[in-house]
């Protein structure tokens, strides 16, 4: 296995932060944005004695629990990774990642009121088919759609010298910006503000800020919304 080579394989699980694990020979390859159950094609981007990393090129076969995303920007936008999973499956995915992250360092169970701290290693392991006794799960948000109360949008363009855009970075790009005026993780009020500000900014004919030249005017739009 060498850097630049392309492989295919099934994603066995995910590990924090959002890396799908594909077994290629004796090596575990970490592929960003790959979901458990998918069969993916990926290119090796990094390989050393500690880890192998790959870049997702294509999803050859979808996972059995995937659904159609409700966001028109999903796929091009780099803001979300799991919108082809139901909310309950997203929670389960995060729980699995957290357990794998914390289990190697959890040495004791937090004591209840008036109880002595337990250090029996058997309390650390998960019950048959269940979660470790020290893990209480991931608490679901009361607001599944439009849960974000603050968002920072960026000004830029999709292609060099193209029309001014305002939104989030294109997936996998450090420079390209996609106008996300129908984003599903923010309140519809954000859409109105974004569209209004973008229309005004375009009318001024002022350029956006360029990260390379450090020149330009429009850079970020920060929107915050209070529940009350």
């Amino acid at each position: 296995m060498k850097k630049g080579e392309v492989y295919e394989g099934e994603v066995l699980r995910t590990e924090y932060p959002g890396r799908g694990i594909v077994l290629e020979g004796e090596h575990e390859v970490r592929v960003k944005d790959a979901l458990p159950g998918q069969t993916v094609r990926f290119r090796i981007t990094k390989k050393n004695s500690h880890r192998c990393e790959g870049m997702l090129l294509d999803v050859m076969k979808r996972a059995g629990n995937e659904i159609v995303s409700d966001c028109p920007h999903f796929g091009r936008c780099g803001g979300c990774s799991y919108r082809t999973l139901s909310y309950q499956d997203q929670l389960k995915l995060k729980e699995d990642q957290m357990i794998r992250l914390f289990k190697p360092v959890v040495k004791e169970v937090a004591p209840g009121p008036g109880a002595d701290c337990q250090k029996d290693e058997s309390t650390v392991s998960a019950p048959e088919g269940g979660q470790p006794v020290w893990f209480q799960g991931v608490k679901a948000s009361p607001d599944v759609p439009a849960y974000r109360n603050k968002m920072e949008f960026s000004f830029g363009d999709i292609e060099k010298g193209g029309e001014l855009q305002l939104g989030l970075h294109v997936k996998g790009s450090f420079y390209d910006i996609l106008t996300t005026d129908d984003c599903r993780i923010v309140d519809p009020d954000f859409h109105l503000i974004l569209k209004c500000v973008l229309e005004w900014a375009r009318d001024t004919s002022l350029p956006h800020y360029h990260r390379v030249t450090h020149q330009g005017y429009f850079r970020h739009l920060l929107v915050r919304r209070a529940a009350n």
Side-chain angles (χ1 to χ4, degrees):
M1 182 182 294
K2 298 180 181 179
K3 182 177 178 180
E5 292 182 338
V6 175
Y7 295 90
E8 293 180 11
E10 183 179 354
V11 183
L12 305 178
R13 63 181 188 277
T14 58
E15 293 183 356
Y16 182 84
R19 301 294 192 267
I21 305 300
V22 181
L23 187 62
E24 179 59 40
E26 299 178 350
H27 302 282
E28 287 190 348
V29 185
R30 296 159 56 90
V31 183
K32 184 179 180 181
D33 295 333
L35 299 176
Q38 289 181 338
T39 299
V40 298
R41 189 164 61 94
F42 57 93
R43 177 182 291 114
I44 301 298
T45 57
K46 181 178 181 180
K47 182 183 182 299
N48 54 36
S49 58
H50 301 290
R51 67 171 57 182
C52 294
E53 295 184 1
M55 180 178 70
L56 180 65
L57 299 177
D58 190 23
V59 177
M60 313 295 292
K61 181 182 177 181
R62 295 288 179 182
N65 62 340
E66 284 192 81
I67 60 177
V68 177
S69 172
D70 62 341
C71 180
H73 307 300
F74 184 80
R76 295 189 67 197
C77 173
C80 296
S81 300
Y82 300 143
R83 293 204 73 84
T84 55
L85 296 177
S86 69
Y87 187 58
Q88 292 304 315
D89 282 342
Q90 292 180 38
L91 293 180
K92 179 63 168 58
L93 194 68
K94 293 176 182 179
E95 287 180 351
D96 292 344
Q97 290 185 21
M98 291 182 67
I99 291 173
R100 287 185 175 276
L101 187 65
F102 286 108
K103 191 173 181 178
V105 296
V106 172
K107 299 301 181 184
E108 56 190 28
V109 177
D116 293 332
C117 202
Q118 305 175 39
K119 296 187 178 181
D120 182 1
E121 287 297 323
S122 64
T123 63
V124 177
S125 60
E128 185 68 26
Q131 297 173 341
V133 294
W134 48 263
F135 186 70
Q136 298 181 7
V138 176
K139 187 174 181 180
S141 169
D143 301 313
V144 178
Y147 70 92
R148 292 290 296 267
N149 71 332
K150 187 182 85 168
M151 202 73 170
E152 183 178 283
F153 300 104
S154 298
F155 287 92
D157 52 29
I158 295 182
E159 55 187 19
K160 187 175 181 180
E163 188 176 34
L164 184 65
Q165 306 290 323
L166 175 58
L168 302 177
H169 284 265
V170 172
K171 192 171 186 177
S173 174
F174 185 72
Y175 299 102
D176 301 334
I177 301 297
L178 176 70
T179 294
T180 51
D181 53 8
D182 199 13
C183 175
R184 298 307 167 91
I185 65 174
V186 298
D187 188 271
D189 286 350
F190 284 60
H191 305 158
L192 298 175
I193 294 171
L194 186 150
K195 291 176 182 178
C196 181
V197 171
L198 178 57
E199 182 179 350
W200 168 78
R202 286 173 175 174
D203 287 342
T204 67
S205 297
L206 291 171
H208 67 85
Y209 180 83
H210 291 265
R211 290 177 176 235
V212 177
T213 63
H214 302 289
Q215 295 179 341
Y217 188 76
F218 294 113
R219 190 167 187 177
H220 298 297
L221 171 67
L222 181 65
V223 184
R224 189 191 301 269
R225 181 181 186 273
N228 298 321

